[in-house]
Amino acid sequence: MSPGVSSAKSPFDASSERVERVLCFTAHPDDIDFGAAGTIAAWTAAGVEVSYCIMTDGDAGGFDPVDRERIIELRAEEQKQAAALVGVSDIHYLHERDGYLEPTHGVIKQIVKLIREIRPDIVVTMHPERNWDRLQKSHPDHLAAGEAVTRAVYPAVENPFAYPELADAGLAAYKLPWLWFISSPEARENHFVDVSGQVDAKLEAIRIHASQHPDIDGMERVVRGLMLANGERAGLPAGTSAEGFHVVSVNGSSTIAGF
């Protein structure tokens, strides 16, 4: 059973789905904390194994010119500390250049490799559609991350003849059950997680990324407001904080092989 979940038009039934492993792909350090740290904290508290894959080093982030020489190391340390706060220790990097991420076959192959290694029940990633209501959700790297992961999830991960060198290395094809998107256009969000009990953990994780936030207090007010708005849109009781996702069933009871 997946913990702490309330659904609206969602194909995911939290009361019956068994979630043991989750793999999260994001473009930059801190993306996953803004998008899903509350849900991740609930998962890990329930014994779910969660892994992160950060696709760039975040080398173009920050505001202080003095940090340029050590920004990659700084952001990796921030992500490590933030992940630990929500129960995650397994972090992978693709080391793509910040601002230059593209859904190339080189990137997609690395995603396929990691999914086949971990074999998660859920892959979480960024949405590949641009959000015109809140453009900050749609950094070009975010869109590229979502597109690359979506291409990897279908058909490459489950096609034994895609990137055959992976199969030759013992990484068998794998049918992923669920794909969850963060940073989604609101019209696409169909699943909400009640994270009222994880708000403090989420905010503490976000605060760790201090190199990216010149106004920590302002950032916290915005995040609290967004979570409350999500709870309202989900139809949850007043004052409920929630995280929203666009959930897609990749392989389920209605899936036909190859379609």
Side-chain angles (χ1 to χ4, degrees), residues 33-40 191-193 195 202 230 241-245:
D33 298 298
F34 277 100
T39 301
I40 290 164
H191 190 77
F192 295 87
V193 179
V195 295
K202 177 184 177 78
N230 286 339
S241 294
E243 291 176 336
F245 302 86

Side-chain angles (χ1 to χ4, degrees), residues 68-251:
R68 290 306 94 194
E69 294 297 322
R70 62 187 187 96
I71 191 65
I72 293 176
E73 179 183 354
L74 175 62
R75 297 204 70 183
E77 182 57 32
E78 287 176 341
Q79 185 63 90
K80 180 180 178 180
Q81 292 179 25
L85 289 172
V86 294
V88 176
S89 59
D90 186 35
I91 305 176
H92 307 259
Y93 282 88
L94 298 191
H95 300 296
E96 295 295 310
R97 187 178 174 188
D98 188 350
Y100 291 76
L101 184 63
E102 297 287 349
T104 64
H105 278 287
V107 170
I108 294 168
K109 178 182 172 181
Q110 292 180 80
I111 296 168
V112 171
K113 179 176 184 290
L114 192 56
I115 294 174
R116 288 187 183 181
E117 287 174 345
I118 293 178
R119 306 179 86 79
D121 304 295
I122 296 173
V123 162
V124 178
T125 192
M126 317 201 77
H127 209 285
E129 292 184 35
R130 183 165 276 110
N131 187 332
W132 293 111
D133 294 325
R134 190 161 174 269
L135 197 59
Q136 287 81 359
K137 282 187 175 183
S138 301
H139 186 293
D141 285 350
H142 295 183
L143 302 179
E147 181 64 26
V149 173
T150 302
R151 292 190 196 184
V153 162
Y154 184 80
V157 163
E158 60 186 64
N159 181 355
F161 308 111
Y163 308 115
E165 60 272 26
L166 296 180
D168 292 344
L171 293 175
Y174 172 66
K175 289 184 176 292
L176 176 75
W178 296 99
L179 180 59
W180 288 32
F181 292 106
I182 60 173
S183 302
S184 311
E186 287 187 5
R188 292 292 191 191
E189 290 180 336
N190 60 0
H191 190 77
F192 295 87
V193 179
D194 181 345
V195 295
S196 298
Q198 291 78 37
V199 169
D200 289 343
K202 177 184 177 78
L203 291 174
E204 190 175 355
I206 292 173
R207 287 190 208 104
I208 292 293
H209 299 280
S211 69
Q212 307 306 298
H213 309 303
D215 181 2
I216 293 288
D217 292 339
M219 174 275 299
E220 182 171 321
R221 286 193 299 272
V222 169
V223 172
R224 285 185 184 276
L226 290 172
M227 287 191 288
L228 289 170
N230 286 339
E232 184 176 351
R233 287 193 300 113
L236 297 172
T240 300
S241 294
E243 291 176 336
F245 302 86
H246 177 197
V247 168
V248 176
S249 174
V250 182
N251 286 287

Side-chain angles (χ1 to χ4, degrees), residues 1-4 18-20 39-49 198:
M1 181 183 295
S2 183
R18 184 172 181 83
V19 178
E20 297 181 344
T39 301
I40 290 164
W43 273 328
T44 59
V48 177
E49 297 177 13
Q198 291 78 37

